[in-house]
Amino acid sequence: MKSPRCILISGIIIFLALADGYAQIKFDGGLESGYYKSVGPGVVLQNGFFTGLDGMAGYDYKGENRSASARLRARPELYGFNNRLTTLKLRGDVYYRQNTNTVDWGVGLTGQKYNFNSSGLYLTYKMFSLSGSMDFYFIKYMPAEINFGYAGQFIRTPAGQSLRLYYAEGKLYKSLSNNSRLGFGLYAERFNVKGSPPGYNLYAGKENNGWRSGPEIGFNYLGESVLNLDYRFLIHSSALTNYPSIEHWIRLVAGKLLTSRLSVFLLADFYIRNFKYNADADKFSYLLYTAMNFDNRIYAKLGYELSGRVEVYLRSGYFNENLLGSKFNFEGWNALIGIDVSN
């Protein structure tokens, strides 16, 4: 798998080869700290001080009929001092898009690495995805979108797990007004999970193959305020589950400018599963499907723009990170103050 650094370097080389258009180097950096409280049977049972850094470097290109971008992001986090938890998230993205009168298409490559380290537990996630998209404008006032791709996830613990999947998604959009539209479609995914219990060779023995499929709906509004709401309902079918096993994915982003400098935002991102496991599920727990998006969170953010490049903010909310098939989780509440600087 390509590292995020390789993705960024290769992307910049491609963009510099494009002669016409406009290019810009981007950067963004932030620092936030405050108090967190962990709850429930999680991997870290303590309360205390939190601090996190967030840095991004990128490159944007925009031509007459095409655009491209590259991003490399790093986020280290520290929870507490005694029995502390540390995390490190690295991500690299490269994306290219071509526009025509009737069809727009794009390709993207993403690589991620996530280290999760606390007393008695060490998890390493490596993830990648190769994606493509096509937007069609043959039907007036009802554009269509197709997304497809291949992705993989590799988890290292005292045990180990490998997830590979193919997915396809089709959507239709209907304009409700000049500022709003409704989207609806279908999602389908074929996956394969390999793994091993502690003390055995990785990926030896039994596999877990299955499907995830179902409808999705979304609503977007952009006016004096912003509202984006997406919902996906999936039937999960695999060698270790019984029917009906279902999944819900919900994402909400809402925001409003209160003054020319003051803004408020609400974000909710939830992945909820309700599985019915068969008799082999407990024995082969290391083969249970682990979602690539395991961050569950809801928080409110109040931001004040000091200048066009600097913002200070207050952020508070709930978080729940489901790790390794929900076998481990880190859950709690936080209240943070932060600063963000960008060009």
Side-chain angles (χ1 to χ4, degrees):
M1 184 188 72
K2 290 187 176 182
S3 68
R5 181 181 297 178
C6 291
I7 292 174
L8 179 62
I9 293 174
S10 61
I12 291 177
I13 292 173
I14 294 172
F15 303 154
L16 291 177
L18 303 174
D20 61 324
Y22 169 78
Q24 182 183 23
I25 295 176
K26 304 284 289 185
F27 71 87
D28 186 284
L31 168 67
E32 59 182 15
S33 62
Y35 177 81
Y36 80 95
K37 178 180 178 63
S38 59
V39 297
V43 298
V44 177
L45 295 177
Q46 68 174 31
N47 312 314
F49 177 77
F50 164 85
T51 186
L53 296 171
D54 201 337
M56 185 278 294
Y59 184 90
D60 287 344
Y61 165 86
K62 187 171 180 60
E64 183 177 354
N65 296 312
R66 56 187 175 180
S67 61
S69 64
R71 294 286 187 273
L72 179 62
R73 181 177 293 273
R75 181 175 175 84
E77 298 174 332
L78 171 64
Y79 295 83
F81 294 107
N82 299 320
N83 300 318
R84 68 180 184 177
L85 163 70
T86 60
T87 70
L88 176 62
K89 299 179 182 180
L90 302 173
R91 179 183 175 112
D93 298 274
V94 172
Y95 192 76
Y96 176 83
R97 187 169 184 85
Q98 182 77 42
N99 302 322
T100 68
N101 291 331
T102 56
V103 179
D104 297 344
W105 62 268
V107 292
L109 178 64
T110 298
Q112 299 181 74
K113 185 175 182 180
Y114 181 14
N115 291 332
F116 189 100
N117 191 6
S118 68
S119 178
L121 178 65
Y122 181 77
L123 297 175
T124 298
Y125 289 75
K126 292 182 180 180
M127 293 162 274
F128 75 91
S129 66
L130 177 62
S131 61
S133 65
M134 301 182 71
D135 295 336
F136 302 92
Y137 302 98
F138 299 118
I139 304 177
K140 194 174 183 180
Y141 305 120
M142 188 173 284
E145 177 184 16
I146 296 176
N147 299 305
F148 51 90
Y150 170 69
Q153 176 174 256
F154 309 93
I155 305 175
R156 295 292 187 273
T157 66
Q161 186 185 93
S162 141
L163 166 68
R164 296 181 183 272
L165 60 89
Y166 300 88
Y167 70 89
E169 177 185 36
K171 289 183 177 181
L172 288 173
Y173 293 96
K174 173 64 176 177
S175 295
L176 303 178
S177 68
N178 292 332
N179 298 326
S180 63
R181 70 174 185 174
L182 181 69
F184 47 92
L186 294 172
Y187 176 88
E189 174 188 308
R190 174 64 173 171
F191 66 85
N192 169 265
V193 182
K194 297 181 180 179
S196 63
Y200 287 80
N201 292 330
L202 192 61
Y203 315 141
K206 189 175 175 65
E207 299 181 10
N208 182 21
N209 296 300
W211 288 88
R212 302 166 70 229
S213 59
E216 55 188 2
I217 188 169
F219 174 78
N220 308 102
Y221 174 82
L222 179 60
E224 295 183 355
S225 58
V226 175
L227 175 63
N228 293 318
L229 177 63
D230 295 289
Y231 171 71
R232 181 182 291 168
F233 174 85
L234 299 180
I235 299 293
H236 184 109
S237 174
S238 77
L240 298 177
T241 57
N242 295 324
Y243 181 85
S245 292
I246 60 176
E247 302 176 60
H248 306 271
W249 179 76
I250 305 166
R251 182 174 178 84
L252 168 68
V253 179
K256 184 175 179 60
L257 284 173
L258 302 179
T259 70
S260 60
R261 292 181 178 268
L262 188 65
S263 62
V264 61
F265 278 88
L266 175 68
L267 184 144
D269 199 352
F270 278 94
Y271 168 74
I272 304 167
R273 60 170 57 182
N274 184 12
F275 286 2
K276 293 185 177 181
Y277 296 109
N278 61 29
D280 289 334
D282 188 57
K283 180 180 178 181
F284 297 104
S285 61
Y286 52 89
L287 294 177
L288 296 177
Y289 185 97
T290 300
M292 300 184 74
N293 175 24
F294 48 76
D295 292 336
N296 289 331
R297 53 184 174 162
I298 177 170
Y299 66 76
K301 176 183 175 183
L302 181 66
Y304 183 80
E305 189 177 277
L306 296 177
S307 68
R309 297 184 177 183
V310 181
E311 181 191 44
V312 294
Y313 61 87
L314 298 173
R315 181 165 73 86
S316 181
Y318 165 81
F319 61 89
N320 184 359
E321 300 196 9
N322 295 312
L323 309 170
L324 196 56
S326 297
K327 184 177 181 181
F328 304 108
N329 75 294
F330 181 44
E331 178 184 11
W333 301 84
N334 58 28
L336 309 172
I337 184 171
I339 184 170
D340 186 80
V341 180
S342 62
N343 70 334

